[in-house]
Amino acid sequence: MSKSSANRRLGPELSLVTQIGKGDDVLVIGLTTAEDDGTPTLVIGDGLLDDAQAGAVDSALSAVGATGAAGQLSRIPAPPGLGVSSVLAVGLGAPAKLDDSEHVRRQAGVAARSLDGVASAVTTLSTIDLTAAAQGFFLGSYRFDEFRSKEPEKSGVTAVKLLVPASDKQTKKDLERAEAIATAVATARDFVNTPPSHLYPDEFAQRAKALGSAAGLKVEVLDEAALAKDGYGGIVGVGQGSSRPPRLVRLTHTAGRKAKTVALVGKGITFDTGGISIKPAAGMDHMTSDMGGAAAIVATTILAAKLDVGVNVIATVPMAENMPSGTAQRPGDVLTQYGGKTVEALNTDAEGRLILADAIVRACEDNPDYLIDTATLTGAQMVALGTRTPGVMGTDEFRDRVATISRSVGESGWAMPFPEELRSDLDSRVADLANITNHRWGGMLSAGVFLREFVADGVEWAHIDIAGPAFNTGGPWGYTGKGGTGVPVRTIFAVLEEIAAEG
Ligand code: BES
Ligand code: MN
Ligand code: ZN
């Protein structure tokens, strides 16, 4: 392995500057599409380029056909005296789009992804939206090279200088916060990108513990003996087919006695073969991402500690490997979930809800005001909403609030219903509940209806299905490369902050 995962930098070094210095390699500027006069407009902060330089950049860009269309990249040699070797213009689309932070974040990401091998870039995109530019550059520069025997010669850009009018205290604070959030997203990506050979329940728990303790969280890890003793039948049942036993990780951030308490739960299946109800071989490798929910919860809870968010956060994270073997669950086995409800596991591939049910019941014992769980739970999420839109379910009001916040941070969550009739479709011949319905309709929703049975009365609850959004199997886009995306870290953190703000 080329780098140790513990101390690796997750993105470029970000810093604030008020002038274009000497010796940076690339100046990254924005270009919006034409309004009335027919020419695209440079978006460069006031006074950063003199008239001659701006004119030279303008004509060079029109010579190479730059239009300002969103995401379009044009790289030109820098005019003399600018102090950089080249200028990269990234298209920002229509001028009105500059008010949309996520749009700016994505275009910054597009620019960052084209800067492999560059040592130092300086950008004016921060004069439009500092936070968005910082995060777009950070996340667009994220690379995962841990398992290449030789470090690639050209990796993500090493340092990014963000031009701002003044580098005052508040601006520095804004940057620190933006970077901390992006770091949490990258931390979740790292967990997801680490292959199942190397990230199995105990290893995942140890890494969560090490990072959590370092951030000042209280950490508790239950091993397979403790899980069996305490009656975590869902986690034990799903984990029993694997030679690598399951874990339950609990991370606590304490804000104070008067603060609200938010319980977080994330699905941590380090690999999902389906178990005895085995999955087809094609695409099974995608199931390395089946701990994307757990990854996001661990990373968000660490972030909550680092930024000392004003709510108590208690994360309950079940981790197991779903394997077929002589000790695996059989379809039709009945298990007793934590808290006593019995479930007939008719399909061992509907394993996520079994480990989540245990964790949700445990989480509710802490009497939280709110509960958010997130999981790569159903292929049906992707059928319903595609690969980039998380499905948000739960209690009506909080569900809608979480979906709205998710869209406001650019993670696109969409509220989905719990149709009344689905509950009885989960009735079991022998147990309290079956883990699948007897049909395939509304598969994302019936998984949510199953989880609802385990949420304590009075708890405001949101369930975020990220089966598609957690893992990008398509081409890179915006600030998102292939593989782990870190969704929905920014959504959940924004919800925590909003709850903290209302006191
Ligand atoms: N981990 C999968 C869901 C999934 C599918 C995540 C595709 C990411 C991409 C989950 O454990 C699963 O297998 N769900 C089954 C449920 C079914 C058996 C009711 C599914 O969606 O097919
Ligand atoms: Mn499964
Ligand atoms: Zn799964």
Side-chain angles (χ1 to χ4, degrees), residues 267 269 272-275 279 287 290 322 347-352 377:
K267 172 179 172 181
I269 294 293
D272 182 13
T273 64
K279 289 181 181 295
M287 288 302 114
D290 212 19
N322 190 21
N347 188 319
T348 65
D349 198 12
E351 84 297 340
L377 201 57

Side-chain angles (χ1 to χ4, degrees), residues 229-243:
K229 177 173 157 287
D230 293 349
Y232 289 91
I235 301 172
V236 169
V238 171
Q240 75 190 30
S242 173
S243 59

Side-chain angles (χ1 to χ4, degrees), residues 34 58 62 106 114-115 124 139 153 228 258 270 281 283 328 356 383 425:
D58 230 353
S62 55
R106 288 180 187 178
S114 78
L115 295 177
T124 63
L139 293 171
E153 265 162 46
K258 286 197 197 125
T270 59
L356 290 170
V383 176
D425 298 342

